[in-house]
Amino acid sequence: MIQLPTPLSLTTPHNLVKTSYLVGELADSIHRGRSTDWLRAASIDFDGFAAERAGVREHWGVPSQVFWYTSGEYYIGSLVLRHRLTEDEGGGHIGYHVVYPWQRNGHATRMLRLALNACADLGIPRALLTVSPDNPASVTVVERNGGIPDGLNHEGEIRFWIDTTKH
Ligand SMILES: CC(C)(COP(=O)(O)OP(=O)(O)OC[C@H]1O[C@@H](n2cnc3c(N)ncnc32)[C@H](O)[C@@H]1OP(=O)(O)O)[C@@H](O)C(=O)NCCC(=O)NCCS
């Protein structure tokens, strides 16, 4: 496995990870059988692509923030942190993915832990995560971070609450 230069952290989208981001997301899209068309614009103007995602932005009617999980020039995955729940609680407080080449190395578990610390700093004492029952990897990630199941949402996803003050 690749030796990362520094401990991984949640960073504001930035252009230092351009190549790693594009190649990682390309591999991930191919693995999931999804279109890779969206990468074209990103590859032409990566600075603009990263800038569009930086900072707190209103999305789905609530303030939300995108983080990239990075070490030096290496990009591992993305995470979105909603500062408030949407009206129908869609997507919960936190959503994430780790690109395929870096999966199954504990990255999502650690990335979520860092996001829970960020939630606590933002004054969110309990974070809601919603996970499809057909996604055992994500269910494991949430359970390893102390997720307590609380029924299903309108899309049939498991609702998990995590006490962010314990992280
Ligand atoms: C879910 C996801 C984020 C997990 O990322 P990851 O970095 O591989 O997660 P971790 O390495 O922390 O894995 C957690 C556990 O789930 C297990 N796991 C990982 N992929 C798995 C799979 N496809 N099937 C079953 N278990 C899996 C891991 O093996 C690990 O357990 P282990 O340590 O005992 O091996 C990643 O698969 C992904 O990005 N999927 C697509 C997007 C997505 O589903 N996002 C979450 C939406 S709620």
Side-chain angles (χ1 to χ4, degrees):
M1 186 40 86
I2 294 167
Q3 172 71 46
L4 294 169
T6 59
L8 283 153
S9 61
L10 290 174
T11 53
T12 296
H14 60 282
N15 65 6
L16 189 61
V17 295
K18 175 178 176 178
T19 305
S20 175
Y21 180 98
L22 294 170
V23 173
E25 290 289 353
L26 177 66
D28 196 67
S29 290
I30 291 169
H31 173 70
R32 292 199 215 175
R34 295 199 173 164
S35 167
T36 58
D37 291 352
W38 66 281
L39 289 165
R40 183 176 166 78
S43 65
I44 291 168
D45 176 17
F46 196 79
D47 284 358
F49 178 82
E52 259 175 36
R53 283 155 181 76
V56 179
R57 295 167 306 139
E58 194 81 0
H59 196 56
W60 291 0
V62 297
S64 66
Q65 214 167 350
V66 168
F67 293 99
W68 288 353
Y69 195 45
T70 67
S71 163
E73 69 268 40
Y74 291 98
Y75 165 86
I76 306 296
S78 292
L79 183 141
V80 59
L81 197 170
R82 292 180 195 90
H83 294 198
R84 286 201 316 270
L85 291 173
T86 61
E87 208 165 309
D88 68 359
E89 298 184 343
H93 283 104
I94 299 170
Y96 48 78
H97 77 277
V98 166
V99 289
Y100 182 63
W102 291 98
Q103 288 179 7
R104 308 201 83 145
N105 285 290
H107 289 310
T109 303
R110 290 188 291 272
M111 178 166 71
L112 176 57
R113 188 161 306 146
L114 294 179
L116 294 167
N117 292 337
C119 282
D121 292 345
L122 285 166
I124 303 166
R126 281 193 334 153
L128 177 70
L129 281 98
T130 61
V131 184
S132 162
D134 301 332
N135 192 342
S138 193
V139 168
T140 303
V141 166
V142 172
E143 287 176 344
R144 285 186 179 163
N145 277 285
I148 308 288
D150 179 21
L152 303 180
N153 72 5
H154 62 288
E155 289 178 341
E157 294 173 325
I158 309 167
R159 300 165 78 245
F160 286 99
W161 289 102
I162 306 183
D163 179 345
T164 67
T165 60
K166 290 188 178 159
H167 290 268

